[in-house]
């Protein structure tokens, strides 16, 4: 089999991950809003695990990454997820949908909330994956960039479509074929993450803010505009504003977007580039408008009616957290049953009602309305046709591109 060295992280990539996981999307989620501890900080050990070489492992494709499946004789699934990313009972002792799955199938779910951030978690499982060993997990949830890396390294098993009838039928179109996993051969979304414009109507004097152009050019917003320290979100939204497709942009397109943002820095239109602290600034009105993550806007609106959001006419950036079956997992068929279970609309609605992120399952609106009509009508949870049509994914980058682009972005934001 082909031998290879795991990809090293450049200094720019490492710095970008630190920003993401200590103050960016990796830290700011419903999970961190509900728990003061939030996501774990990126440690030197975790970073070293991601970038270290060690003994070169044998690369596997999704088929050869499989092991003997013990699902028929071992009625169990070991499922690793993020904290506060599953419905829970009022007494916080059980997960009702998982209990229903076990009652229906007889498969026990050993559910562990042991993912605090992507890099830290990858550092835990990388040694086993690299040496062709079972990680002890049958199902994991990781963000798209890490899912892409795991799949590229041959460390995710190919899924059997015959075991996923609901998932295959009900996955909404915008998540069906990312460039890092065409046709969803190895993954299915757990939730979607959308980047939108949020604004405080008290701070804007009642004015709606609905484009990056307005954020960068409106003199009444000068010094009260925020962009994100996540490169893909900030540059992706700027590319869209400039008429470029984040799925196909070139390096000159990227440079033009950086230059446009640099002008906003030089003229002091942009107050600052923010991580998770944009929420408090927006809530207080120190930021009149900023780029924000949709799941967090829902949480902010619950406590402040002045917080509004807008979807630019040119579109918005979307990404996802994804279910994967790791290489050598012992219970692949059981895991596929659980994936398919969460693509049944009544079950998906119960999950969406709890976590308030984009639901990737079609046909959940009626079931969600029975739980909470306001959530069912919220396009940040169930995208309507107009919002779906405006969704754009940032394309997969080569290692060389990621290094170059992160260096330019770090210079822009002063990191």
């Amino acid at each position: 089999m082909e031998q290879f060295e795991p990809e090293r992280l450049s200094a720019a990539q490492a710095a970008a991950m630190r920003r993401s996981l200590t103050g960016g999307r990796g830290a700011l989620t419903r999970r961190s809003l509900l728990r003061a501890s939030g996501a774990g900080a990126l440690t030197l050990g975790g970073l070293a695990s991601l970038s270290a070489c060690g003994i070169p492992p044998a690369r596997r494709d999704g088929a050869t990454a499989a092991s003997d499946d013990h699902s028929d004789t071992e009625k169990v699934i070991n499922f690793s997820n993020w904290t506060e990313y599953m419905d829970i009972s009022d007494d916080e002792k059980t997960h009702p949908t998982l209990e229903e799955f076990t009652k229906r199938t007889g498969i026990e779910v050993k559910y562990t909330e042991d993912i605090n951030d992507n890099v830290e978690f990858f550092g835990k499982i990388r040694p086993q994956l690299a040496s062709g060993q079972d990680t002890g997990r049958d199902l994991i949830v990781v963000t798209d960039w890490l899912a892409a890396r795991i799949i590229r390294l041959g460390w995710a098993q190919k899924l059997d479509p015959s075991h996923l009838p609901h998932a295959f039928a009900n996955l909404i179109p915008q998540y069906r074929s990312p460039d890092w996993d065409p046709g969803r051969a190895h993954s299915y979304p757990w939730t979607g993450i959308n980047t939108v414009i949020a604004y405080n109507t008290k701070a804007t004097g009642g004015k709606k803010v609905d484009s990056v152009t307005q954020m960068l050019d409106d003199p009444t917003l000068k010094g009260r505009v925020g962009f994100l320290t996540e490169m893909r979100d900030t540059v992706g939204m700027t590319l869209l504003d400039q008429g470029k497709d984040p799925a196909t942009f070139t390096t000159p397109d990227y440079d033009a977007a950086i230059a446009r943002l640099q002008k906003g820095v030089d003229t002091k239109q942009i107050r600052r580039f923010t991580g998770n602290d944009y929420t408090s600034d927006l809530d207080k009105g120190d930021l009149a408008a900023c780029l924000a993550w949709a799941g967090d806007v829902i949480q902010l609106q619950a406590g402040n009616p002045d917080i509004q959001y807008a979807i630019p006419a040119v579109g918005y950036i979307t990404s996802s957290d994804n279910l994967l079956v790791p290489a050598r997992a012992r219970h692949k068929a059981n895991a596929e049953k659980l994936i398919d279970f969460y693509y049944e609309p009544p079950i998906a609605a119960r999950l969406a009602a709890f976590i308030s992120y984009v639901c990737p399952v079609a046909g959940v609106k009626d079931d969600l309305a029975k739980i909470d009509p306001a959530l069912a009508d919220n396009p940040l949870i169930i995208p309507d046709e107009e919002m779906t049509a405006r969704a754009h994914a940032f394309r997969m980058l080569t290692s060389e591109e990621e290094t170059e682009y992160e260096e330019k972005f770090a210079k822009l934001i002063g990191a």
Side-chain angles (χ1 to χ4, degrees), residues 53-72:
C53 283
I55 300 172
R59 182 175 184 129
R60 296 177 294 273
D61 63 24
T64 57
S67 63
D68 293 336
D69 195 343
H70 300 265
S71 295
D72 286 342

Side-chain angles (χ1 to χ4, degrees), residues 217 258-270 412:
D217 293 344
I258 291 291
R260 180 76 172 100
L261 291 162
Q262 185 64 57
K263 181 180 178 181
V265 172
D266 295 342
T267 61
K268 301 188 185 315
Q269 180 77 8
I270 298 175
L412 167 72

Side-chain angles (χ1 to χ4, degrees), residues 4 17 30 39 48 55 72 103 119 133 204 266-267 332 348-349 375:
F4 78 110
M17 289 182 182
R30 177 181 172 86
I55 300 172
D72 286 342
K103 183 178 180 180
V119 170
Q133 298 176 1
T204 65
D266 295 342
T267 61
K332 175 175 174 282
L375 294 179

Side-chain angles (χ1 to χ4, degrees), residues 147-210:
R149 180 181 287 264
I150 291 172
I151 293 168
R152 185 167 64 245
L153 293 173
W155 293 344
Q157 297 196 43
K158 286 186 177 179
L159 302 175
D160 185 341
S162 70
H163 294 167
L164 298 160
H166 295 99
F168 182 81
N170 295 331
L171 177 61
I172 62 177
Q174 75 183 70
Y175 296 116
R176 279 197 173 271
S177 194
D179 59 1
W180 48 268
D181 188 21
R184 289 288 179 181
H186 304 84
S187 69
Y188 270 90
W190 182 247
T191 58
I193 306 167
N194 293 340
T195 304
V196 300
I197 294 174
Y199 58 98
N200 185 319
T201 55
K202 188 174 182 179
T204 65
K207 180 185 296 186
K208 181 178 182 180
V209 181
D210 60 4

Side-chain angles (χ1 to χ4, degrees), residues 306-386:
D306 294 324
I307 304 300
Q308 301 295 321
Y309 75 91
I311 306 299
V314 294
Y316 64 95
I317 294 293
T318 189
S319 58
S320 57
D321 282 340
N322 306 276
L323 295 154
L324 294 178
V325 178
R328 303 305 177 190
R330 288 176 61 88
H331 311 109
K332 175 175 174 282
N334 289 347
E336 290 167 336
K337 288 180 181 178
L338 186 61
I339 294 172
D340 201 57
F341 174 77
Y342 279 101
Y343 272 79
E344 296 178 18
I347 303 301
R350 290 162 63 181
L351 180 66
F354 181 82
I355 64 177
S356 298
Y357 275 80
V358 178
C359 179
V361 182
V364 302
K365 187 168 186 176
D366 289 345
D367 291 291
L368 188 55
K370 296 173 184 176
I371 301 170
D372 188 331
L375 294 179
D377 290 331
N378 192 329
L380 297 184
I381 298 176
I382 302 180
D384 55 23
E385 289 185 7
E386 179 182 5

